[in-house]
């Protein structure tokens, strides 16, 4: 970890930011559909939001772990709780690495020095 490139913090911060954004968008879309559109063909409007969430979690998993973890994340699309577990693991690892680099993530996804 001593020879970490200076842009490593930015490589970790960007996917963390987008995972948060897509997670909130997917939750909001699912709540709206469950509340108002259950019996409508518009039910499939949640698919792009959920897919964006899975792909950003895969991106974070790739940055925090490796391509293998990103592939596993995409394959876990059939087990949604698995994607949530990977998100928590990858977020935790990325946050710990950012902390060791002397940064933290702000609420808006911006890097802040410790």
């Amino acid at each position: 970890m001593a020879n970490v490139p200076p842009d490593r913090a930015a490589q970790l911060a960007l996917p963390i930011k987008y995972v948060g954004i897509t997670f909130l968008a997917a939750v909001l879309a699912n709540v709206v559909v469950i509340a108002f559109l259950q019996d409508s063909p518009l039910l499939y409007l949640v698919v792009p939001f959920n897919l964006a969430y899975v792909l950003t979690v895969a991106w974070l998993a790739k940055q925090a772990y490796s391509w293998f973890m990103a592939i596993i994340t995409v394959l876990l699309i059939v087990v949604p709780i698995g994607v949530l577990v990977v998100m928590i693991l990858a977020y935790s690892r990325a946050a710990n690495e950012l902390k060791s680099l002397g940064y933290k993530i702000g609420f808006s996804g911006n890097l802040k020095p410790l």
Side-chain angles (χ1 to χ4, degrees), residues 23 26 74 102 107:
F23 181 72
V74 173
F107 181 73

Side-chain angles (χ1 to χ4, degrees), residues 58-76:
W59 179 26
L60 177 60
K62 186 243 179 228
Q63 293 298 329
Y65 289 101
S66 65
W67 275 106
F68 179 71
M69 190 64 130
I71 292 168
I72 294 295
T73 303
V74 173
L75 293 177
L76 282 173

